Amino acid sequence: LGLRGVRLSLARAGLLEAQLRALVRASGYGPLRILLPMISSREEVRAVRATLKRVTAQLREQGHEIAENVPLGAMIEVPAAAIALPTFIGSVAFLSIGTNDLVQYLLAADRNNEALTDLYTPLHPAVIRLVSSVIRLAQKRGKPVAVCGEMAGDPHFAPMLFALGLTEFSLHPATLLELRRTFRHCDHAQLLARA
């Protein structure tokens, strides 16, 4: 809640332009993708894309070596983004579902408030349904989708995400071995049936 993520970037156009310029220049040195945080509408994606296009053209005119294409993605961590995704999925190259904020905002349960611990759960049917709908739409439109946040690295939740069709997990390296062990012991067909 508040002025953060893409909202802050769009409120401070000079800062956004400087950041995009640096990112596009860095693309000349290796693969790079830009992920927009806290997206909630198509207009935000369009505004950033317009700035990115302008900055890219300027850098080319100035003779900088830059990538032919710098993929732009959206972080789906605000319920409005998940619901409005059909209106802007064509404007992004990839998606990442930020489960920590998505659960918090969807359930109106601050994850840092101990009195709400029982309410803050990734297993709430609304969370599962929303995550599933984002994954399905991304697959249907051929857009890579990842999940980041605690849910992606938790051996209790990751198999459910896998059953929903997720194949890309963004997680802390310390959780990798435990997650591999969990997947090794999962029956893929059974997971799909349960999903």
Side-chain angles (χ1 to χ4, degrees):
L1 300 175
L3 194 59
R4 56 180 259 207
V6 76
R7 295 170 184 172
L8 178 61
S9 297
L10 292 172
R12 301 197 177 142
L15 178 61
L16 174 63
E17 192 165 320
Q19 290 174 333
L20 291 176
R21 185 176 175 83
L23 287 165
V24 173
R25 284 198 62 189
S27 76
Y29 297 97
L32 177 93
R33 300 188 306 169
I34 299 172
L35 180 60
L36 302 176
M38 300 298 289
I39 289 293
S40 61
S41 72
R42 172 182 61 196
E43 289 73 27
E44 292 167 336
V45 175
R46 285 182 173 171
V48 173
R49 183 163 293 290
T51 304
L52 179 62
K53 186 177 179 181
R54 186 176 68 252
V55 164
T56 301
Q58 289 170 352
L59 289 170
R60 281 204 175 99
E61 286 173 13
Q62 294 167 0
H64 293 283
E65 279 192 39
I66 58 175
E68 186 64 34
N69 178 40
V70 177
L72 188 65
M75 190 80 164
I76 308 299
E77 55 195 332
V78 176
I83 295 166
L85 184 57
T87 68
F88 68 83
I89 193 167
S91 300
V92 296
F94 64 98
L95 301 169
S96 183
I97 304 170
T99 57
N100 293 353
D101 279 333
L102 186 62
V103 172
Q104 175 175 253
Y105 296 143
L106 186 60
L107 301 178
D110 183 351
R111 65 179 181 243
N112 297 316
N113 186 334
E114 290 181 24
L116 301 175
T117 301
D118 291 342
L119 294 175
Y120 180 89
T121 174
L123 293 178
H124 190 286
V127 173
I128 296 169
R129 181 170 287 159
L130 206 57
V131 168
S132 177
S133 72
V134 170
I135 293 169
R136 277 190 321 238
L137 182 58
Q139 289 171 337
K140 183 178 177 184
R141 298 291 294 270
K143 305 287 181 171
V145 60
V147 166
C148 64
E150 294 168 15
M151 199 172 172
D154 189 316
H156 296 100
F157 303 132
M160 177 190 63
L161 293 170
F162 185 66
L164 294 175
L166 188 74
T167 57
E168 190 174 326
F169 294 75
S170 175
L171 47 95
H172 191 280
T175 63
L176 184 59
L177 290 177
E178 186 176 5
L179 210 56
R180 277 186 170 174
R181 207 173 299 123
T182 298
F183 281 126
R184 199 174 297 126
H185 292 79
C186 286
D187 180 332
H188 188 228
Q190 189 178 41
L191 281 175
L192 291 174
R194 288 178 63 195

